[in-house]
Amino acid sequence: MHRRLIVPSALAASLLLAIPASAADYVPGTPGIGDAYYPASGNGGYDVSHYDLRLKYQPATDLLEGTATLNLTTKQNLSRFNLDLGLKASEVRVGGKKARFKATGDHELEITPATPLDKGKSVTVVVRYAGKPSELKIGGWTAWHRTPDGGVAAQEPDSAVWWFPSNDHPLDKATFDVSVSVPDGTQAISNGTLQSQSSRLGWTRYNWRSNKPQATYLATLAIGKFDITTDKTAGGLPVLNAYSKDLGDNAGAARASLERTTEVAEWLEEIFGPYPFNALGGYVPNVTSGYALETQTRPFYSPRQFANGANVSVVVHELAHQWYGDSVSVDNWKDIWINEGFARYSQWLWSEKEGEGTAQELADYVYAQRAAEDPFWTVKPGDPGPEKQFDIAVYDRGALALQALRNKVGDEDFFAILKGWPTEYKYGNAKVSDFVKYAERISGKPLAGLFDTWLYQPVKPSASTAAQARIAPKSLAASPSGAGAKSAKPVKPKSWQKIAATNSVHDHDHDHGH
């Protein structure tokens, strides 16, 4: 009986392979990729491997015209699919054929190909579009900075929809070619390496290439008038830093900070392993914002980061993200701790290296200065929620968790974990739980309880718990309730003021439009 059933089933399966799928077998890709915090971010049904962006931008009017070519592979039988784009599309082609399209929601471009797409099909999608990015607001805020001499795209967790169509979520990383035409005398800066530059009829075209997988929010575009410095690392990597010609009193401090990029990157390689990309650098445009962002290979810095003088600590933070956040990206935005906790801890390690306060002293200070009733302790760095995603607790409490880990497993295993993790998940995505399992595997110790205490409990760990993790002054350890926190006066590390000055690194100005 059983044998007789196998044969017809196998025959039926073989016949199905020869029969084309019916229209009912093709379904639309979802308009979101499934992020817990941002359901509308990204899209389902396909994966992009490469973006080719050919753009023209007029600084005087803020008009951006573009032709985007996306190489993608379908992950299901698709009747239609979405891209994320806020500007207005004028034509879409799928596989060379004109496709129907319409704008829906705040930033969805719904595309219906001339014929449905089979699962596993590699296809090219071409989108022609145009608009003025500064006029686009989504949820009351914008990722586009209009400047006196141009415009800049740099924002987190979203920025792509303001200047190109994409699958706008870190789960779908791709390589990029960005070609930008601007009036002569104006420069266009993007990620990676400058492949070529040419001028014709009053316009100059810049061609940039980022040849390693890159999340869409990490793609950046800066158009304006810049002073540019170039160099090469000892290993031959090109270094390019750009400074707006109109930074005012912050110009000297900005240059004094960014010009140490190579030095900081070489130091970070000792901790995190080989630098994962094809270029280094950063840029400081004449924007009014206060934050910085780890745009891949070329971090964005607001001039206000240098309002109080040079601050190499913010350069450390953004370059640390090249490993933690860029090469290894979040799986879901709730996993933001694997970006920000490590970038902040890198600042603590730089302080330790510079003799301005050890990571232990900084951890003790953070724990002691925040009373138990401080709302700081109600934020869970391991899952802070979308409204608290960039809360200072994700940074400082997140770094506390790493010091607790260091004290638990010892320096040898701790630094093996810091260096091994970016190799284990290189160019991929990961969850907080992945890091916990990895740390347990490398150290051979159970660590779930430690991470639960420091990343997930919405209360201040008691003084006795902190003492077990060797965090907090001895005067606190005597108080089982942590009530002694107010009376303890740990020495403020010398680096504290510089590190605290970078706290606005997490303030992405999202509230300005609400």
Side-chain angles (χ1 to χ4, degrees):
M1 185 78 173
H2 181 64
R3 288 172 61 99
R4 283 201 297 269
L5 284 173
I6 290 176
V7 177
S9 297
L11 177 61
S14 67
L15 288 173
L16 283 173
L17 293 177
I19 299 173
S22 68
D25 294 324
Y26 293 90
V27 295
T30 56
I33 208 166
D35 191 273
Y37 287 3
Y38 306 106
S41 290
N43 305 285
Y46 64 91
D47 184 83
V48 182
S49 60
H50 183 73
Y51 292 90
D52 183 274
L53 308 179
R54 191 167 181 86
L55 312 173
K56 183 178 182 179
Y57 181 75
Q58 177 54 263
T61 61
D62 194 44
L63 177 63
L64 177 70
E65 300 169 273
T67 300
T69 303
L70 288 67
N71 298 338
L72 60 84
T73 302
T74 58
K75 298 196 294 185
Q76 66 183 62
N77 289 336
L78 276 177
S79 59
R80 69 169 189 262
F81 61 95
N82 285 23
L83 294 175
D84 297 303
L85 177 66
L87 302 181
K88 185 177 181 180
S90 58
E91 183 183 23
V92 177
R93 288 180 178 265
V94 178
K97 298 177 182 179
K98 281 191 174 183
R100 289 184 289 119
F101 64 93
K102 64 179 180 179
T104 63
D106 286 335
H107 56 74
E108 299 288 340
L109 182 64
E110 187 180 287
I111 299 169
T112 304
T115 56
L117 304 176
D118 294 333
K119 180 180 179 180
K121 181 179 178 62
S122 295
V123 66
T124 298
V125 178
V126 178
V127 181
R128 298 183 190 277
Y129 61 100
K132 296 183 178 182
S134 61
E135 296 179 358
L136 175 63
K137 293 284 182 72
I138 296 176
W141 63 276
T142 179
W144 185 264
H145 303 263
R146 189 81 165 94
T147 64
D149 53 11
V152 175
Q155 185 57 273
E156 182 182 15
D158 302 299
S159 69
V161 296
W162 275 265
W163 63 290
F164 68 96
S166 71
N167 192 11
D168 196 15
H169 191 277
L171 274 176
D172 194 356
K173 300 162 80 168
T175 54
F176 280 75
D177 281 318
V178 179
S179 177
V180 191
S181 183
V182 293
D184 287 347
T186 300
Q187 293 123 310
I189 294 167
S190 190
N191 311 80
T193 56
L194 182 62
Q195 301 293 106
S196 63
Q197 176 182 333
S198 60
S199 295
R200 183 173 180 270
L201 301 176
W203 291 80
T204 301
R205 182 166 290 280
Y206 296 83
N207 298 297
W208 295 88
R209 172 166 290 176
S210 194
N211 68 347
K212 301 298 182 187
Q214 177 174 286
T216 47
Y217 86 95
L218 296 172
T220 192
L221 178 65
I223 296 168
K225 296 181 179 180
F226 297 92
D227 286 327
I228 292 177
T229 66
T230 60
D231 198 3
K232 285 191 175 181
T233 66
L237 280 177
V239 183
L240 185 147
N241 293 317
Y243 310 89
S244 170
K245 294 179 181 290
D246 187 23
L247 294 180
D249 292 344
N250 297 332
R255 191 176 294 251
S257 304
L258 265 66
E259 292 302 311
R260 296 183 68 182
T261 290
T262 300
E263 172 194 351
V264 171
E266 289 174 349
W267 170 74
L268 285 169
E269 284 190 306
E270 297 174 9
I271 301 168
F272 297 149
Y275 181 75
F277 303 123
N278 67 340
L280 276 168
Y283 71 98
V284 191
N286 52 349
V287 294
T288 58
S289 61
Y291 64 93
L293 183 64
E294 62 271 18
T295 40
Q296 193 158 305
T297 72
R298 188 145 295 110
F300 157 91
Y301 301 92
S302 297
R304 279 184 9 218
Q305 286 291 323
F306 311 105
N308 296 319
N311 195 342
V312 181
S313 189
V314 71
V315 177
V316 171
H317 185 104
E318 301 309 331
L319 289 182
H321 274 312
Q322 304 305 304
W323 287 264
Y324 282 84
D326 293 10
S327 179
V328 183
S329 301
V330 295
D331 179 89
N332 241 253
W333 279 111
K334 70 178 183 178
D335 299 304
I336 190 66
W337 172 75
I338 63 172
N339 292 16
E340 301 301 348
F342 293 81
R344 175 48 58 97
Y345 195 77
S346 298
Q347 294 176 271
W348 290 10
L349 291 175
W350 177 261
S351 170
E352 196 168 289
K353 169 189 172 291
E354 295 291 283
E356 297 182 341
T358 65
Q360 181 67 60
E361 290 168 340
L362 284 157
D364 292 344
Y365 189 76
V366 166
Y367 179 86
Q369 73 159 347
R370 300 276 188 176
E373 61 270 19
D374 193 317
F376 173 89
W377 299 108
T378 66
V379 178
K380 301 178 290 184
D383 188 0
E387 296 302 319
K388 296 290 185 180
Q389 185 180 353
F390 300 107
D391 190 89
I392 188 61
V394 175
Y395 296 69
D396 280 352
R397 189 177 175 184
L400 268 175
L402 288 171
Q403 185 61 34
L405 172 65
R406 182 179 179 180
N407 292 342
K408 175 76 172 180
V409 304
D411 274 12
E412 183 177 350
D413 281 347
F414 178 73
F415 286 103
I417 291 166
L418 288 191
K419 184 173 286 188
W421 169 261
T423 300
E424 183 91 356
Y425 288 90
K426 193 174 186 178
Y427 307 135
N429 302 77
K431 305 179 180 71
V432 174
S433 59
D434 293 325
F435 182 84
V436 175
K437 292 173 185 175
Y438 181 79
E440 288 182 327
R441 173 156 60 88
I442 298 302
S443 68
K445 295 182 177 180
L447 299 169
L450 180 148
F451 284 109
D452 181 65
T453 295
W454 294 97
L455 294 183
Y456 292 102
Q457 292 303 313
V459 295
K460 181 176 183 177
S462 68
S464 60
T465 299
Q468 288 175 6
R470 286 187 283 154
I471 289 174
K474 291 180 180 178
S475 57
L476 289 182
S479 169
S481 65
K486 292 183 178 179
S487 61
K489 294 183 180 179
V491 176
K492 181 189 293 185
K494 291 180 181 179
S495 62
W496 180 256
Q497 188 170 347
K498 286 184 179 179
I499 293 173
T502 70
N503 285 349
S504 61
V505 76
H506 68 270
D507 179 8
H508 294 281
D509 296 345
H510 288 185
D511 293 334
H512 290 189
H514 287 289

